[in-house]
Amino acid sequence: MPLSYKVLLAGVSSVALVSAAMAQDTLGSAENPIMLDPITLVSDGQENVEATGGIAITQEDIEELAPADVSELFARDSAVSVSGGAGPSKRIHVFGMEQSNLAVSVDGVPQGITSWHHTGSNVIDPAFLRSVEVEAGAAAADAGFGAAAGAVRYETLGAKDLLRDGQAQGGRLNLSYGDNGRGWSGSLAGYGVYENFDWFAMVHGSDGSNYDDGDGNEVPGTEPATQGLLTKLGYEFEGHRVELAYERSEDEADRVIKMNLDLANSTDVYPLKITRNTLSLRYTSVAPTASWDPEALVYVSRDEYWRPNYATGERPVNGDMDLETETIGGILKNTFTLDQGSVTTGLDWAYNDYRVDNYGDFGRGVWTAETMQIGAFAQARLEFDNGIDLSTGVRVDHQRYTDWDNKRLSDTGVSANATLSYEFAEGYEVFAGASQTWLGYDIGEFGLLHARDESFRTADDFEPSEATNFKFGFNANQGNWNGNITYFDTRLKGLGYYNTDGQYDTDPATVAYLGNADDYRSRGVTMQGNYSWGTGRVGASYTKAKLTQDGDKVLPIGDTVMPIGDMATLFIDQDIPDYNLRVGGTLEWAGRLDGDWLRAGSLQFEDQPSYTVVNLYGEWRPQSYENVAVRLGIDNIFDRQYFERSSYAQRADGAPVYPLYAPGRTITLGLTTNF
């Protein structure tokens, strides 16, 4: 982004924040508080989310979808594509950009970068989720550090989300069984309140077998094996609340070496265990005032990826892997409420320690690296009487990077964002947004170190990365219907890149290194629309994205970005009150990718065919037992053979790499009861 744009964004943010601070003086003080309802920008509080090209998935949506994994969680949203295969391989891409380029959090706890592009670093279990927000493109300053292409916020369930009126304690049991490898899945939750305490505990597990694709071919290493635990304990006193939470996710099963592709039609599988443990302590105020609405969070998390020693040969590039990441961090912020809206200010910090063990008999043996980041941010969300709304903010981050050779780099950067909307008629508005985001030293897929020689180094000219986002569009909201169209343009500059051209050279001039990649870019358009009629609703979305690197179209090779072309979804839900029945369905469509898009040099890929997948469900609640729900779901009802757009495509020449096909027709029967 030219310097003039950076200065303009920072200037807009500074003026808005200073004006808001001056206005705060007229609203009251801690001694004389004025209670105000919070106001946010665009479409009833959906600032920077649905109304500007993003996604909001509610608790009701999740209950209707009953998703077994993140592919099903985002099945109604064309802006998000998901890698195929078993649970640990499922990484999301927003507008074709992989999740490491977004600030991903669970209950405010950052999830960190993807360790290896063939397998995700953690497993998001939809059984625990209450809501999801995807902030696409220009993200707010309080979205977190490293929000290059936006942010994804997962929120988990708690006692107050499930307790019914008049209940002091309760529970929920969910059981399901599906064919085509889905097998058994179940969760059990207990929750309640007692005086000033509230508590929540939930366990979930699944056990199945490999699924068959639409042509009846078994896909090895795809058996469900997710297990999870979520506990929360809250205490409120004199207007304050503290909550201690612990979350554990685990997936342990026999998997193929590279889980998001079919390598040479191999059926070989090996033990793989992926775990994540997170402990967090949160403080909030339950009696906020205009000038005092604080939140404090401290957390510690540990990710582990363990694949045992089965490799052979002198340099087992595709062999064993033992990855480990430990993170400790915190967030401290306060929201000031004004006549015009709100201003959130705060600090966040995170220390990350990375460890990679070369199980093979060459190289360094153990690689370690660490990063330390601390940032200060302020974000204003303002709404004016003349129809103009403004969300703008700035953050300053300092980061230190120490590599495996104890080489230390440090730098400081400034990020700024602004989203402006104008309501020119009631319920109709236009908007424009931009952001410049400083990302620090991006170490990329650190799991690649497992196959590097001891001479691998950090380049002398390794620099911090940056991201630039632009978006503009039109939004309409008329009560029972709403829609929007958004044009987006995201550029990622200097992301971490593991150059291996000289992997085994000894000449310092040609040895392999961690450096900065050529610029990535995703630009295109996304549209959404929804209509409701009381007992039902229908919705649709369409996304077209062109992804390039250094001006050339990217190939489907599975790391930072993936070509997605044209994608669309259509869904419908309908209640039939006379029978206590709800039915619905989802249609997913992807256009054909062909031509020069998939061919560059020696990397030749076959065309990716278009596909259409239809999923149907029905849910019945017996009249005498309204706390019981029976659900029948049929996914891929026409048994179509297809692979999701962010999975690998088939290669025509060179090493044989084939797509990892999605499940064929799968029928699932589930029972949920609240007690």
Side-chain angles (χ1 to χ4, degrees):
M1 179 181 282
L3 180 61
S4 58
Y5 286 102
K6 297 181 183 180
V7 174
L8 177 61
L9 273 177
V12 169
S13 300
S14 299
V15 170
L17 292 168
V18 171
S19 300
M22 294 176 64
Q24 172 66 20
D25 292 338
T26 69
L27 287 176
S29 62
E31 293 78 16
N32 299 288
I34 298 176
M35 303 296 290
L36 297 173
D37 293 329
I39 302 171
T40 51
L41 170 70
V42 182
S43 186
D44 298 328
Q46 297 175 7
E47 172 264 331
N48 274 358
V49 185
E50 285 184 305
T52 55
I55 297 162
I57 302 176
T58 66
Q59 184 175 348
E60 180 184 5
D61 295 330
I62 295 174
E63 290 175 353
E64 288 179 353
L65 290 168
D69 51 45
V70 290
S71 288
E72 297 179 6
L73 178 66
F74 292 106
R76 295 183 168 186
D77 304 294
S78 62
V80 178
S81 54
V82 184
S83 301
S89 68
K90 291 186 175 295
R91 297 168 297 118
I92 71 169
H93 295 69
V94 178
F95 299 152
M97 295 196 164
E98 198 265 344
Q99 63 190 34
S100 295
N101 303 306
L102 301 103
V104 181
S105 63
V106 176
D107 292 334
V109 178
Q111 297 301 286
I113 61 176
T114 297
S115 59
W116 194 44
H117 68 267
H118 294 296
T119 307
S121 302
N122 53 76
V123 179
I124 301 297
D125 191 340
F128 298 129
L129 292 180
R130 174 173 60 86
S131 64
V132 185
E133 285 187 347
V134 179
E135 193 173 7
D142 54 0
F145 176 67
V152 181
R153 292 181 285 272
Y154 298 98
E155 297 290 335
T156 62
L157 291 165
K160 295 182 179 180
D161 299 312
L162 297 178
L163 282 173
R164 291 171 289 171
D165 291 341
Q167 267 193 319
Q169 58 185 358
R172 186 175 76 174
L173 172 67
N174 180 279
L175 288 173
S176 69
Y177 179 79
D179 69 349
N180 194 24
R182 179 66 61 91
W184 288 99
S185 177
S187 65
L188 178 64
Y191 42 85
V193 295
Y194 177 73
E195 295 183 349
N196 295 338
F197 288 93
D198 60 86
W199 55 274
F200 177 89
M202 184 176 182
V203 293
H204 175 254
S206 58
D207 184 28
S209 58
N210 296 333
Y211 64 72
D212 293 343
D213 66 18
D215 272 3
N217 304 307
E218 181 179 347
V219 181
T222 58
E223 63 181 88
T226 301
Q227 298 182 33
L229 166 69
L230 174 65
T231 61
K232 296 181 179 181
L233 178 63
Y235 178 66
E236 297 182 7
F237 60 100
E238 298 179 352
H240 309 285
R241 175 179 173 81
V242 291
E243 181 180 274
L244 180 67
Y246 172 69
E247 180 186 7
R248 175 179 172 83
S249 65
E250 176 182 307
D251 189 288
E252 183 175 8
D254 290 341
R255 307 295 189 192
V256 295
I257 296 178
K258 298 182 177 181
M259 292 181 58
N260 63 336
L261 56 83
D262 180 355
L263 188 62
N265 286 332
S266 174
T267 59
D268 295 336
V269 293
Y270 305 91
L272 175 65
K273 183 178 181 180
I274 298 176
T275 61
R276 178 176 177 83
N277 292 274
T278 301
L279 181 67
S280 64
L281 180 65
R282 183 188 310 271
Y283 164 81
T284 54
S285 173
V286 294
T289 67
S291 58
W292 182 245
D293 187 5
E295 181 176 351
L297 173 70
V298 292
Y299 58 87
V300 58
S301 64
R302 182 186 181 96
D303 292 286
E304 294 178 281
Y305 180 108
W306 178 82
R307 200 171 69 183
N309 188 5
Y310 63 83
T312 58
E314 183 181 358
R315 302 185 188 279
V317 175
N318 288 327
D320 313 302
M321 191 180 295
D322 183 10
L323 312 178
E324 183 181 294
T325 305
E326 293 184 347
T327 301
I328 182 171
I331 303 170
L332 179 63
K333 63 183 179 181
N334 185 63
T335 299
F336 302 91
T337 304
L338 318 173
D339 277 334
Q340 297 83 10
S342 66
V343 176
T344 301
T345 62
L347 302 170
D348 56 27
W349 63 277
Y351 169 79
N352 296 282
D353 181 77
Y354 305 94
R355 180 182 179 276
V356 180
D357 185 355
N358 269 80
Y359 268 127
D361 299 326
F362 80 103
R364 181 181 299 267
V366 176
W367 304 74
T368 59
E370 63 181 43
T371 60
M372 176 68 191
Q373 166 268 328
I374 183 169
F377 58 84
Q379 184 75 23
R381 296 171 172 90
L382 308 173
E383 183 177 273
F384 303 99
D385 294 335
N386 58 4
I388 295 177
D389 298 341
L390 174 66
S391 174
T392 185
V394 64
R395 63 177 295 137
V396 179
D397 290 285
H398 178 78
Q399 189 198 41
R400 185 188 69 214
Y401 160 61
T402 305
D403 77 355
W404 45 91
D405 292 321
N406 208 32
K407 179 179 181 178
R408 178 170 292 185
L409 301 172
S410 63
D411 205 348
T412 301
V414 178
S415 305
N417 72 87
T419 300
L420 182 71
S421 72
Y422 174 62
E423 187 177 20
F424 59 86
E426 186 174 356
Y428 298 94
E429 63 188 0
V430 291
F431 62 87
S435 68
Q436 169 70 19
T437 307
W438 187 82
L439 307 175
Y441 295 97
D442 175 51
I443 67 170
E445 300 166 28
F446 65 92
L448 291 173
L449 290 170
H450 91 290
R452 303 284 80 82
D453 188 272
E454 62 270 12
S455 62
F456 190 82
R457 60 185 175 83
T458 301
D460 294 335
D461 58 353
F462 189 46
E463 297 179 342
S465 309
E466 293 182 343
T468 303
N469 286 279
F470 295 100
K471 62 181 177 181
F472 61 85
F474 168 78
N475 184 67
N477 191 330
Q478 292 297 310
N480 62 338
W481 68 268
N482 63 77
N484 64 74
I485 180 171
T486 302
Y487 171 82
F488 58 88
D489 189 344
T490 297
R491 305 186 189 205
L492 309 178
K493 179 181 179 181
L495 295 182
Y497 169 62
Y498 287 74
N499 185 301
T500 58
D501 291 343
Q503 180 171 336
Y504 304 123
D505 291 355
T506 57
D507 184 348
T510 58
V511 71
Y513 60 87
L514 169 63
N516 298 107
D518 293 332
D519 295 359
Y520 292 98
R521 184 180 186 185
S522 175
R523 64 186 188 275
V525 64
T526 186
M527 296 183 288
Q528 302 171 357
N530 297 275
Y531 176 74
S532 62
W533 54 88
T535 60
R537 61 176 179 168
V538 63
S541 67
Y542 168 77
T543 300
K544 182 181 182 65
K546 180 180 180 181
L547 290 113
T548 58
Q549 183 179 23
D550 197 27
D552 296 326
K553 295 176 181 177
V554 298
L555 295 171
I557 54 177
D559 43 20
T560 306
V561 300
M562 290 286 283
I564 61 172
D566 299 82
M567 300 185 69
T569 63
L570 174 68
F571 71 86
I572 186 171
D573 300 305
Q574 176 63 55
D575 289 330
I576 307 176
D578 291 343
Y579 299 95
N580 295 324
L581 186 65
R582 171 174 291 184
V583 295
T586 301
L587 181 148
E588 304 172 65
W589 173 86
R592 184 180 182 87
L593 285 179
D594 56 13
D596 294 337
W597 189 301
L598 304 178
R599 295 169 178 84
S602 61
L603 295 177
Q604 302 291 310
F605 291 83
E606 290 190 358
D607 297 344
Q608 295 190 23
S610 173
Y611 65 80
T612 302
V613 180
V614 178
N615 311 309
L616 300 177
Y617 79 90
E619 183 180 277
W620 175 58
R621 292 182 177 272
Q623 187 172 1
S624 302
Y625 302 93
E626 293 186 359
N627 61 327
V628 175
V630 179
R631 188 181 192 279
L632 176 67
I634 308 176
D635 297 327
N636 193 2
I637 188 170
F638 297 114
D639 210 14
R640 178 69 185 270
Q641 187 190 49
Y642 74 102
F643 57 95
E644 296 164 285
R645 273 294 171 260
S646 50
S647 294
Y648 270 47
Q650 188 171 4
R651 182 177 297 178
D653 298 324
V657 177
Y658 304 100
L660 189 68
Y661 288 105
R665 183 188 301 114
T666 304
I667 302 174
T668 305
L669 181 64
L671 171 70
T672 300
T673 180
N674 296 287
F675 51 89

